Amino acid sequence: MLQQSAFIKTNLKSSAYSYSYKDILRTLQALFNTINMDDALPKVEQRAQYTLYLIDGATHNWHNLVPADLIALARQNNVVIFNVERKAICEKNLLLNHVNGVFYKSTPSEEVFKGLVKINAGELWFTRMILSQAFSDILVATSSFNSLHEGIELKQDDYQHLTKRERSVIHLIAQGASNSVIADKLNISDHTVKTHLYSAFKKTSSRNRIELANWAQRYISVLLPMSKQ
């Protein structure tokens, strides 16, 4: 029998005894041989051992922007977001970035069970409307593949003109980091962060940090190396 294991990335502000966690854990215990929980993801080289990743979305706001590290995880693994508020995420964005499903704080326990069973069987857990919208977006993207490819080549040129520090700033922006967090990680001042940010705006033809983050996430698998966790 194939051994299946699940990993729950917890949120330090959530309680493992909450209603959301109890529903998830009860179902996982029936479906998986092993369940591990931690507030940090496993190292990249260890991630293949888990059949499913459940990411606690409490306190996060991923409505306009899905963090780059979450996108990278979902590209290679089955990922589910849970314990999240409806206003804090955009289901279509998650679906288009390879996430397998979402369970809200308000999702009934029977729906959690049904959804996890479906996901474990290889299905997606999104509403029919969201699936339809995402499929339409994919068709549009596919029909314009040639122009998209040309765009990637142009962005490659833009990337070559970015300094090493600008690339670091863009990478952190793509992961949802604020200016103060970037300043702390790179050991620079907030003013210097803004300088690099404005320069990156100009070089990538972005009007704001959301557009810059979307630019980075669109080309990140081609241009920007993901940091190992």
Side-chain angles (χ1 to χ4, degrees):
M1 181 178 177
L2 180 65
Q3 295 290 308
Q4 298 193 55
S5 57
F7 185 93
I8 302 177
K9 184 181 183 301
T10 61
N11 187 307
L12 294 177
K13 295 185 179 180
S14 298
S15 169
Y17 299 100
S18 68
Y19 180 77
S20 297
Y21 271 76
K22 288 180 180 178
D23 284 345
I24 291 289
L25 288 171
R26 275 196 297 264
T27 303
L28 291 177
Q29 288 168 356
L31 297 174
F32 294 89
N33 305 96
T34 305
I35 304 168
N36 290 329
M37 298 175 62
D38 202 329
D39 62 355
L41 289 170
K43 293 182 179 180
V44 174
E45 59 271 19
Q46 298 174 337
R47 294 180 184 179
Q49 66 182 289
Y50 293 101
T51 312
L52 179 68
Y53 284 84
L54 295 101
I55 310 298
D56 184 348
T59 74
H60 294 295
N61 189 329
W62 297 330
H63 192 275
N64 295 321
L65 181 67
V66 181
D69 54 350
L70 181 55
I71 293 174
L73 177 68
R75 280 176 177 165
Q76 302 295 328
N77 304 274
N78 293 326
V79 172
V80 171
I81 308 299
F82 78 103
N83 198 31
V84 66
E85 299 284 357
R86 290 184 180 275
K87 63 183 180 180
I89 58 102
C90 172
E91 284 194 29
K92 187 176 73 171
N93 284 349
L94 292 176
L95 174 57
L96 290 173
N97 282 296
H98 310 288
V99 172
N100 298 77
V102 177
F103 299 114
Y104 298 101
K105 290 182 178 181
S106 59
T107 301
S109 56
E110 59 271 18
E111 287 295 301
V112 171
F113 178 82
K114 182 179 179 181
L116 283 175
V117 169
K118 293 282 188 182
I119 292 169
N120 195 45
E123 299 183 32
L124 297 171
W125 191 252
F126 292 98
T127 65
R128 186 179 299 274
M129 181 181 70
I130 294 300
L131 290 170
S132 177
Q133 290 176 355
F135 184 66
S136 296
D137 284 358
I138 291 171
L139 289 178
V140 171
T142 301
S143 65
S144 60
F145 175 78
N146 289 334
S147 61
L148 176 60
H149 182 72
E150 291 172 1
I152 291 177
E153 293 303 318
L154 290 173
K155 295 304 180 181
Q156 177 75 39
D157 292 338
D158 289 341
Y159 180 74
Q160 298 299 335
H161 289 88
L162 292 168
T163 66
K164 182 178 179 180
R165 186 50 57 87
E166 286 167 354
R167 296 176 190 182
S168 297
V169 170
I170 291 174
H171 193 178
L172 291 168
I173 286 290
Q175 297 182 53
S178 65
N179 285 9
S180 59
V181 169
I182 294 172
D184 181 62
K185 285 184 175 292
L186 300 182
N187 195 29
I188 57 180
S189 69
D190 285 351
H191 176 74
T192 303
V193 171
K194 291 179 181 178
T195 300
H196 291 310
L197 202 51
Y198 291 143
S199 178
F201 287 162
K202 184 176 180 179
K203 291 180 180 181
T204 61
S205 299
S206 300
R207 292 173 296 181
N208 52 54
R209 64 192 303 121
I210 294 296
E211 288 190 3
L212 179 61
N214 286 333
W215 178 90
Q217 291 184 358
R218 186 176 181 184
Y219 306 110
I220 201 165
S221 62
V222 178
L223 306 176
L224 298 177
M226 291 299 302
S227 59
K228 293 185 177 181
Q229 297 188 26

